[in-house]
Amino acid sequence: MGITFEMRVSVPEDVLIRELDGESVILNLKSERYFGLDRVGTRIWEVLSTSETIAAAYQTLLSEYDVVPEQLETDLYNLLEQLVQHGLINVSN
């Protein structure tokens, strides 16, 4: 299934996130895999996990960061794919 901007991100119950000084570590308790995020990645995670859709998160991030829209879209898709692959988020319609 391909990820589209109309989808919504949710965090599985067995995934924990801990923030320290603006950076985060995300842990999948089932697989015992973890993933580190820098300050920007942490902000992206916060916005994705609280927005109605990926498109809404994209618009929020576009307003917060001085970035070329196409670059943000590419970076967002890459991060989403990594997070899904590691079982750290679910995406659904």
Side-chain angles (χ1 to χ4, degrees):
M1 169 181 68
I3 297 170
T4 67
F5 269 29
E6 290 75 38
M7 293 178 159
R8 176 179 174 79
V9 170
S10 61
V11 180
E13 288 183 16
D14 55 354
V15 171
L16 299 177
I17 183 166
R18 294 293 178 253
E19 187 178 331
L20 180 63
D21 295 328
E23 297 187 354
S24 297
V25 174
I26 308 167
L27 173 65
N28 181 323
L29 295 172
K30 269 203 276 198
S31 69
E32 297 182 352
R33 290 181 144 193
Y34 67 91
F35 197 82
L37 295 174
D38 63 11
R39 287 181 188 276
V40 173
T42 297
R43 179 61 185 147
I44 292 171
W45 171 276
E46 290 169 351
V47 173
L48 282 171
S49 62
T50 58
S51 295
E52 286 297 314
T53 62
I54 296 169
Y58 170 81
Q59 289 301 323
T60 298
L61 294 166
L62 197 57
S63 71
E64 290 182 11
Y65 292 98
D66 183 20
V67 62
V68 176
E70 295 80 11
Q71 185 64 53
L72 177 59
E73 185 175 339
T74 299
D75 291 348
L76 203 49
Y77 272 124
N78 290 338
L79 180 60
L80 287 164
E81 288 173 358
Q82 288 181 22
L83 293 171
V84 168
Q85 182 180 14
H86 286 80
L88 300 172
I89 61 168
N90 295 319
V91 291
S92 60
N93 292 324

